[in-house]
Amino acid sequence: MKAVTLYTDGACSGNPGPGGWGAVLIYKSKRLEMSGYDPATTNNRMELMAAIQGLSALKEPCQVDLYSDSSYLVNAFEKHWLTNWQKRGWLKADKKPVENQDLWQTLLTLSMKHQIHWHKVKGHSDNVENNRCDQLATGEIKQKRKAESLD
């Protein structure tokens, strides 16, 4: 099984508002940078989308070290929030529906294909790859705003 490293980040200008996601996938000496945009979203949705897109780019089952500055994303797996949400019929402990259920379900399906080790990193710090993902995500927002101002 191939061992890959995936860094992810999401960003939103306003929350909700226009958002972007960025991912950097590294396998040996190969590197793939990806990013995308959503005109009306939330920061949490973009964090999840970055992980979904990064994992979706893998063509076969892999061992994945996934690094994110999103506690929301990492804790859902590491602290078994997802397991508990599913047991309660996608309700949180306060009996309110889990937000972003569509993306969580997609992420769960993808996570079953791979062996993923989730790593929480400090955002906007000294992690070069996390900072690159942030640049990709915020760059998408800036690019779309610039294009819209030219219309």
Side-chain angles (χ1 to χ4, degrees):
M1 194 176 275
K2 292 179 180 174
V4 300
T5 304
L6 175 59
Y7 288 87
T8 66
D9 197 22
C12 215
S13 182
N15 198 20
W21 59 266
V24 175
L25 195 55
I26 302 167
Y27 172 67
K28 295 184 179 179
S29 64
K30 295 180 183 175
R31 174 187 185 90
L32 175 63
E33 293 187 353
M34 301 173 280
S35 60
Y37 175 79
D38 189 318
T41 189
T42 64
N43 188 64
N44 282 341
R45 286 188 72 80
M46 292 294 90
E47 294 285 1
L48 298 178
M49 188 58 73
I52 288 168
Q53 294 299 325
L55 292 170
S56 294
L58 300 172
K59 294 179 172 67
E60 62 189 78
C62 295
Q63 288 183 342
V64 181
D65 278 299
L66 193 150
Y67 294 86
S68 173
D69 63 11
S70 170
S71 296
Y72 180 63
L73 172 61
V74 174
N75 288 345
F77 286 92
E78 288 297 298
K79 295 189 176 183
H80 309 289
W81 296 352
L82 278 164
T83 304
N84 294 329
W85 294 339
Q86 290 176 85
K87 285 179 185 174
R88 289 191 293 262
W90 289 97
L91 296 175
K92 298 182 291 184
D94 64 5
K95 307 293 185 221
K96 293 181 182 173
V98 172
E99 293 178 5
N100 306 310
Q101 190 179 137
D102 57 333
L103 298 182
W104 284 120
Q105 289 175 340
T106 300
L107 198 48
L108 271 171
T109 299
L110 287 167
S111 69
M112 288 183 223
K113 295 178 183 179
H114 307 286
Q115 293 178 5
I116 304 173
H117 300 283
W118 301 89
H119 304 275
K120 171 75 173 70
V121 297
K122 187 175 180 181
H124 310 283
S125 186
D126 59 354
N127 187 302
V128 173
E129 299 299 353
N130 180 257
N131 289 339
R132 179 61 184 145
C133 289
D134 181 64
Q135 290 172 346
L136 291 167
T138 57
E140 285 284 339
I141 299 167
K142 290 173 188 168
Q143 181 182 345
K144 295 297 189 263
R145 279 198 172 143
K146 186 176 180 182
E148 289 169 0
S149 70
L150 297 174
D151 288 343

